[in-house]
Structure formats: structure tokens, C-alpha cells
Amino acid sequence: MPLQITSAEALTKDSQSLLAFFGGFFAFLSLCFALCTVLCYIMRERQFFAYTLFFGCTLIFFLSQTGMGRVWFWGGMESMNNHIGYMSGAGLIAGICLIGQSLNLVNACRDQVVIVLRFIALAMIPALLYFLIIPSDQVSPGNIRTIMMLGLLVAVTVFLMTVLAAYQG
């Protein structure tokens, strides 16, 4: 992208449109989180807890990754922003695992997949504690890459389970 010299008015206009987009995006995630929290409280079903965890961690993850969390909530503390992003990423993976466990999939391998998803969801607890306790300068990209690749594998697996459950009616 080439460097562009612009006026202060154009820069302000571009910044305001981005803030409006982020505001709408975060309002949508907050609404989904609030709705799932109310449904979880009223229905007391594990599936709604999974959705609540998913939307809550997604909201926090995107707040930390876009930098809006530092603007709106926790100030200019970069290490705190990194820790919050790492911990919410681990929670997001756990939420996807819990959603995958609650799918009504009729398949011979369903029980084995649910056991693996339960193991990965429980494995995110030590990962979350690791990101909470370890100083951010000691967290290596290799550790993050391993956990994020695991998250991608879980997301693809749950997506395939959802497609199969939808195909089965």
C-alpha cells in the first residue's frame, strides 16, 4: 500500500467510520453474549453455556486484537492486552469444543470425537493458566502457534460435524 498524504479532515473521517464499524461489531457480539447468558441462566443447559463462553471469549479476543480494548477499557498496557488476547483465544477454543460436544450427530465415531473435544476443552485450562501466569516476554510464538493450530483443527472438526448433523436432518 503506497504512502498517502491526506488532510486532517479525511483522516478524521476514515477513523470515525472505522470506529462506527467496530462499535456495531462489538455491539452485536455483546448482544449475542447477553442473550446467551440469559438463556443459559433460564434454561440451565450445557449448550447455552458453550454459546455464552464462545461469544464472551470472541468479544474479548477481538477487543484485544483490534486494539479497541486498550482504547475503551484497559488503557495502554500492552502486556495486559497480550495476556487477555491469549487467554481469550484459549477460552474461544474451549467454547468451540463445548459447542461441538453438544451437536446431535448420528455417527459411529461421534463418541470418540466427543471424547477428543472434551480432552481439548479441558487442556485449554492449563493453557489459560499458562498465559495468565507467565510474563509476556517469555511466551514464545511457537507456543502460540501450537495452540492456534489446535484451535484451527478443532474449528474445522466442529464445522464438519455441523455439516454432517445438518445433512442428517
Side-chain angles (χ1 to χ4, degrees), residues 71-93:
V71 172
W72 291 336
F73 297 111
W74 48 84
M77 297 181 283
E78 186 173 338
S79 67
M80 182 176 172
N81 189 57
N82 291 339
H83 280 288
I84 288 172
Y86 299 150
M87 290 187 305
S88 61
L92 186 59
I93 294 169

PDB file of all heavy atoms in Angstrom, residues 71-93:
ATOM      1  N   VAL A  71      -8.253   1.031  23.941  1.00  0.00           N
ATOM      2  CA  VAL A  71      -8.856   2.361  23.813  1.00  0.00           C
ATOM      3  C   VAL A  71     -10.015   2.521  24.784  1.00  0.00           C
ATOM      4  O   VAL A  71     -10.132   3.544  25.458  1.00  0.00           O
ATOM      5  CB  VAL A  71      -9.342   2.592  22.358  1.00  0.00           C
ATOM      6  CG1 VAL A  71     -10.150   3.865  22.240  1.00  0.00           C
ATOM      7  CG2 VAL A  71      -8.162   2.612  21.399  1.00  0.00           C
ATOM      8  N   TRP A  72     -10.871   1.495  24.878  1.00  0.00           N
ATOM      9  CA  TRP A  72     -12.099   1.629  25.641  1.00  0.00           C
ATOM     10  C   TRP A  72     -11.993   1.157  27.082  1.00  0.00           C
ATOM     11  O   TRP A  72     -12.700   1.657  27.946  1.00  0.00           O
ATOM     12  CB  TRP A  72     -13.235   0.855  24.966  1.00  0.00           C
ATOM     13  CG  TRP A  72     -13.679   1.455  23.665  1.00  0.00           C
ATOM     14  CD1 TRP A  72     -13.544   2.744  23.273  1.00  0.00           C
ATOM     15  CD2 TRP A  72     -14.333   0.783  22.599  1.00  0.00           C
ATOM     16  NE1 TRP A  72     -14.071   2.912  22.019  1.00  0.00           N
ATOM     17  CE2 TRP A  72     -14.567   1.719  21.582  1.00  0.00           C
ATOM     18  CE3 TRP A  72     -14.740  -0.521  22.388  1.00  0.00           C
ATOM     19  CZ2 TRP A  72     -15.186   1.399  20.397  1.00  0.00           C
ATOM     20  CZ3 TRP A  72     -15.357  -0.834  21.204  1.00  0.00           C
ATOM     21  CH2 TRP A  72     -15.583   0.120  20.221  1.00  0.00           C
ATOM     22  N   PHE A  73     -11.165   0.147  27.375  1.00  0.00           N
ATOM     23  CA  PHE A  73     -11.230  -0.479  28.697  1.00  0.00           C
ATOM     24  C   PHE A  73      -9.926  -0.454  29.477  1.00  0.00           C
ATOM     25  O   PHE A  73      -9.859   0.135  30.537  1.00  0.00           O
ATOM     26  CB  PHE A  73     -11.728  -1.931  28.591  1.00  0.00           C
ATOM     27  CG  PHE A  73     -13.115  -2.038  28.048  1.00  0.00           C
ATOM     28  CD1 PHE A  73     -13.342  -2.571  26.797  1.00  0.00           C
ATOM     29  CD2 PHE A  73     -14.194  -1.585  28.770  1.00  0.00           C
ATOM     30  CE1 PHE A  73     -14.617  -2.672  26.286  1.00  0.00           C
ATOM     31  CE2 PHE A  73     -15.480  -1.674  28.270  1.00  0.00           C
ATOM     32  CZ  PHE A  73     -15.692  -2.222  27.022  1.00  0.00           C
ATOM     33  N   TRP A  74      -8.889  -1.149  29.022  1.00  0.00           N
ATOM     34  CA  TRP A  74      -7.726  -1.351  29.882  1.00  0.00           C
ATOM     35  C   TRP A  74      -6.535  -0.458  29.578  1.00  0.00           C
ATOM     36  O   TRP A  74      -5.432  -0.714  30.037  1.00  0.00           O
ATOM     37  CB  TRP A  74      -7.292  -2.816  29.920  1.00  0.00           C
ATOM     38  CG  TRP A  74      -7.176  -3.507  28.603  1.00  0.00           C
ATOM     39  CD1 TRP A  74      -6.121  -3.496  27.750  1.00  0.00           C
ATOM     40  CD2 TRP A  74      -8.160  -4.347  28.001  1.00  0.00           C
ATOM     41  NE1 TRP A  74      -6.390  -4.262  26.651  1.00  0.00           N
ATOM     42  CE2 TRP A  74      -7.634  -4.805  26.780  1.00  0.00           C
ATOM     43  CE3 TRP A  74      -9.426  -4.765  28.376  1.00  0.00           C
ATOM     44  CZ2 TRP A  74      -8.334  -5.650  25.939  1.00  0.00           C
ATOM     45  CZ3 TRP A  74     -10.103  -5.601  27.522  1.00  0.00           C
ATOM     46  CH2 TRP A  74      -9.569  -6.031  26.326  1.00  0.00           C
ATOM     47  N   GLY A  75      -6.724   0.587  28.844  1.00  0.00           N
ATOM     48  CA  GLY A  75      -5.669   1.582  28.660  1.00  0.00           C
ATOM     49  C   GLY A  75      -4.489   1.085  27.835  1.00  0.00           C
ATOM     50  O   GLY A  75      -4.595   0.141  27.082  1.00  0.00           O
ATOM     51  N   GLY A  76      -3.360   1.720  28.000  1.00  0.00           N
ATOM     52  CA  GLY A  76      -2.206   1.444  27.157  1.00  0.00           C
ATOM     53  C   GLY A  76      -1.302   0.331  27.632  1.00  0.00           C
ATOM     54  O   GLY A  76      -0.148   0.269  27.239  1.00  0.00           O
ATOM     55  N   MET A  77      -1.785  -0.557  28.492  1.00  0.00           N
ATOM     56  CA  MET A  77      -0.954  -1.643  28.992  1.00  0.00           C
ATOM     57  C   MET A  77      -0.856  -2.752  27.948  1.00  0.00           C
ATOM     58  O   MET A  77      -1.776  -3.572  27.816  1.00  0.00           O
ATOM     59  CB  MET A  77      -1.522  -2.177  30.296  1.00  0.00           C
ATOM     60  CG  MET A  77      -1.522  -1.154  31.413  1.00  0.00           C
ATOM     61  SD  MET A  77      -2.164  -1.823  32.937  1.00  0.00           S
ATOM     62  CE  MET A  77      -3.920  -1.791  32.599  1.00  0.00           C
ATOM     63  N   GLU A  78       0.246  -2.784  27.209  1.00  0.00           N
ATOM     64  CA  GLU A  78       0.387  -3.734  26.107  1.00  0.00           C
ATOM     65  C   GLU A  78       0.489  -5.174  26.601  1.00  0.00           C
ATOM     66  O   GLU A  78      -0.070  -6.088  25.994  1.00  0.00           O
ATOM     67  CB  GLU A  78       1.604  -3.385  25.262  1.00  0.00           C
ATOM     68  CG  GLU A  78       1.729  -4.237  24.027  1.00  0.00           C
ATOM     69  CD  GLU A  78       2.838  -3.772  23.118  1.00  0.00           C
ATOM     70  OE1 GLU A  78       3.237  -2.611  23.188  1.00  0.00           O
ATOM     71  OE2 GLU A  78       3.308  -4.605  22.330  1.00  0.00           O
ATOM     72  N   SER A  79       1.223  -5.394  27.693  1.00  0.00           N
ATOM     73  CA  SER A  79       1.362  -6.771  28.182  1.00  0.00           C
ATOM     74  C   SER A  79       0.015  -7.318  28.661  1.00  0.00           C
ATOM     75  O   SER A  79      -0.288  -8.492  28.447  1.00  0.00           O
ATOM     76  CB  SER A  79       2.401  -6.847  29.292  1.00  0.00           C
ATOM     77  OG  SER A  79       1.955  -6.158  30.436  1.00  0.00           O
ATOM     78  N   MET A  80      -0.795  -6.471  29.270  1.00  0.00           N
ATOM     79  CA  MET A  80      -2.123  -6.913  29.695  1.00  0.00           C
ATOM     80  C   MET A  80      -2.986  -7.231  28.476  1.00  0.00           C
ATOM     81  O   MET A  80      -3.730  -8.220  28.476  1.00  0.00           O
ATOM     82  CB  MET A  80      -2.789  -5.847  30.554  1.00  0.00           C
ATOM     83  CG  MET A  80      -4.137  -6.250  31.080  1.00  0.00           C
ATOM     84  SD  MET A  80      -4.782  -4.971  32.162  1.00  0.00           S
ATOM     85  CE  MET A  80      -6.413  -5.559  32.432  1.00  0.00           C
ATOM     86  N   ASN A  81      -2.866  -6.424  27.443  1.00  0.00           N
ATOM     87  CA  ASN A  81      -3.606  -6.668  26.216  1.00  0.00           C
ATOM     88  C   ASN A  81      -3.210  -8.016  25.615  1.00  0.00           C
ATOM     89  O   ASN A  81      -4.072  -8.779  25.169  1.00  0.00           O
ATOM     90  CB  ASN A  81      -3.356  -5.535  25.221  1.00  0.00           C
ATOM     91  CG  ASN A  81      -4.264  -5.610  24.029  1.00  0.00           C
ATOM     92  OD1 ASN A  81      -5.473  -5.606  24.154  1.00  0.00           O
ATOM     93  ND2 ASN A  81      -3.669  -5.682  22.845  1.00  0.00           N
ATOM     94  N   ASN A  82      -1.907  -8.322  25.612  1.00  0.00           N
ATOM     95  CA  ASN A  82      -1.449  -9.605  25.077  1.00  0.00           C
ATOM     96  C   ASN A  82      -1.961 -10.772  25.919  1.00  0.00           C
ATOM     97  O   ASN A  82      -2.436 -11.771  25.371  1.00  0.00           O
ATOM     98  CB  ASN A  82       0.076  -9.638  25.022  1.00  0.00           C
ATOM     99  CG  ASN A  82       0.624  -8.691  23.984  1.00  0.00           C
ATOM    100  OD1 ASN A  82      -0.076  -8.285  23.058  1.00  0.00           O
ATOM    101  ND2 ASN A  82       1.874  -8.315  24.142  1.00  0.00           N
ATOM    102  N   HIS A  83      -1.863 -10.652  27.236  1.00  0.00           N
ATOM    103  CA  HIS A  83      -2.357 -11.725  28.101  1.00  0.00           C
ATOM    104  C   HIS A  83      -3.849 -11.947  27.919  1.00  0.00           C
ATOM    105  O   HIS A  83      -4.312 -13.091  27.858  1.00  0.00           O
ATOM    106  CB  HIS A  83      -2.068 -11.401  29.574  1.00  0.00           C
ATOM    107  CG  HIS A  83      -0.665 -11.690  29.994  1.00  0.00           C
ATOM    108  ND1 HIS A  83      -0.180 -12.962  30.162  1.00  0.00           N
ATOM    109  CD2 HIS A  83       0.364 -10.867  30.273  1.00  0.00           C
ATOM    110  CE1 HIS A  83       1.074 -12.914  30.536  1.00  0.00           C
ATOM    111  NE2 HIS A  83       1.437 -11.642  30.603  1.00  0.00           N
ATOM    112  N   ILE A  84      -4.605 -10.871  27.825  1.00  0.00           N
ATOM    113  CA  ILE A  84      -6.054 -11.002  27.629  1.00  0.00           C
ATOM    114  C   ILE A  84      -6.349 -11.660  26.284  1.00  0.00           C
ATOM    115  O   ILE A  84      -7.232 -12.514  26.180  1.00  0.00           O
ATOM    116  CB  ILE A  84      -6.733  -9.619  27.747  1.00  0.00           C
ATOM    117  CG1 ILE A  84      -6.718  -9.161  29.200  1.00  0.00           C
ATOM    118  CG2 ILE A  84      -8.159  -9.654  27.218  1.00  0.00           C
ATOM    119  CD1 ILE A  84      -7.177  -7.743  29.408  1.00  0.00           C
ATOM    120  N   GLY A  85      -5.604 -11.292  25.245  1.00  0.00           N
ATOM    121  CA  GLY A  85      -5.800 -11.911  23.938  1.00  0.00           C
ATOM    122  C   GLY A  85      -5.488 -13.400  23.946  1.00  0.00           C
ATOM    123  O   GLY A  85      -6.231 -14.207  23.388  1.00  0.00           O
ATOM    124  N   TYR A  86      -4.383 -13.782  24.598  1.00  0.00           N
ATOM    125  CA  TYR A  86      -4.013 -15.197  24.668  1.00  0.00           C
ATOM    126  C   TYR A  86      -5.035 -16.004  25.463  1.00  0.00           C
ATOM    127  O   TYR A  86      -5.449 -17.085  25.044  1.00  0.00           O
ATOM    128  CB  TYR A  86      -2.639 -15.367  25.325  1.00  0.00           C
ATOM    129  CG  TYR A  86      -1.500 -14.699  24.600  1.00  0.00           C
ATOM    130  CD1 TYR A  86      -0.402 -14.239  25.301  1.00  0.00           C
ATOM    131  CD2 TYR A  86      -1.511 -14.520  23.219  1.00  0.00           C
ATOM    132  CE1 TYR A  86       0.667 -13.628  24.661  1.00  0.00           C
ATOM    133  CE2 TYR A  86      -0.460 -13.903  22.571  1.00  0.00           C
ATOM    134  CZ  TYR A  86       0.630 -13.458  23.295  1.00  0.00           C
ATOM    135  OH  TYR A  86       1.673 -12.854  22.661  1.00  0.00           O
ATOM    136  N   MET A  87      -5.446 -15.472  26.610  1.00  0.00           N
ATOM    137  CA  MET A  87      -6.394 -16.204  27.451  1.00  0.00           C
ATOM    138  C   MET A  87      -7.760 -16.320  26.780  1.00  0.00           C
ATOM    139  O   MET A  87      -8.398 -17.369  26.844  1.00  0.00           O
ATOM    140  CB  MET A  87      -6.532 -15.523  28.813  1.00  0.00           C
ATOM    141  CG  MET A  87      -5.294 -15.648  29.667  1.00  0.00           C
ATOM    142  SD  MET A  87      -5.461 -15.044  31.344  1.00  0.00           S
ATOM    143  CE  MET A  87      -6.008 -13.381  31.117  1.00  0.00           C
ATOM    144  N   SER A  88      -8.200 -15.256  26.116  1.00  0.00           N
ATOM    145  CA  SER A  88      -9.497 -15.338  25.446  1.00  0.00           C
ATOM    146  C   SER A  88      -9.432 -16.270  24.237  1.00  0.00           C
ATOM    147  O   SER A  88     -10.423 -16.912  23.902  1.00  0.00           O
ATOM    148  CB  SER A  88      -9.990 -13.950  25.042  1.00  0.00           C
ATOM    149  OG  SER A  88      -9.091 -13.354  24.133  1.00  0.00           O
ATOM    150  N   GLY A  89      -8.264 -16.370  23.593  1.00  0.00           N
ATOM    151  CA  GLY A  89      -8.104 -17.337  22.499  1.00  0.00           C
ATOM    152  C   GLY A  89      -8.241 -18.764  23.000  1.00  0.00           C
ATOM    153  O   GLY A  89      -8.893 -19.604  22.366  1.00  0.00           O
ATOM    154  N   ALA A  90      -7.647 -19.065  24.157  1.00  0.00           N
ATOM    155  CA  ALA A  90      -7.791 -20.400  24.750  1.00  0.00           C
ATOM    156  C   ALA A  90      -9.246 -20.652  25.138  1.00  0.00           C
ATOM    157  O   ALA A  90      -9.772 -21.748  24.933  1.00  0.00           O
ATOM    158  CB  ALA A  90      -6.871 -20.543  25.957  1.00  0.00           C
ATOM    159  N   GLY A  91      -9.914 -19.653  25.689  1.00  0.00           N
ATOM    160  CA  GLY A  91     -11.329 -19.793  26.032  1.00  0.00           C
ATOM    161  C   GLY A  91     -12.199 -19.975  24.804  1.00  0.00           C
ATOM    162  O   GLY A  91     -13.192 -20.714  24.831  1.00  0.00           O
ATOM    163  N   LEU A  92     -11.834 -19.323  23.720  1.00  0.00           N
ATOM    164  CA  LEU A  92     -12.569 -19.458  22.459  1.00  0.00           C
ATOM    165  C   LEU A  92     -12.476 -20.888  21.933  1.00  0.00           C
ATOM    166  O   LEU A  92     -13.478 -21.463  21.488  1.00  0.00           O
ATOM    167  CB  LEU A  92     -12.002 -18.463  21.446  1.00  0.00           C
ATOM    168  CG  LEU A  92     -12.679 -18.303  20.113  1.00  0.00           C
ATOM    169  CD1 LEU A  92     -14.119 -17.878  20.298  1.00  0.00           C
ATOM    170  CD2 LEU A  92     -11.937 -17.279  19.287  1.00  0.00           C
ATOM    171  N   ILE A  93     -11.291 -21.474  22.009  1.00  0.00           N
ATOM    172  CA  ILE A  93     -11.122 -22.867  21.581  1.00  0.00           C
ATOM    173  C   ILE A  93     -11.952 -23.792  22.463  1.00  0.00           C
ATOM    174  O   ILE A  93     -12.613 -24.713  21.969  1.00  0.00           O
ATOM    175  CB  ILE A  93      -9.631 -23.255  21.600  1.00  0.00           C
ATOM    176  CG1 ILE A  93      -8.863 -22.457  20.548  1.00  0.00           C
ATOM    177  CG2 ILE A  93      -9.451 -24.751  21.361  1.00  0.00           C
ATOM    178  CD1 ILE A  93      -7.365 -22.574  20.655  1.00  0.00           C
TER     179      ILE A  93
END
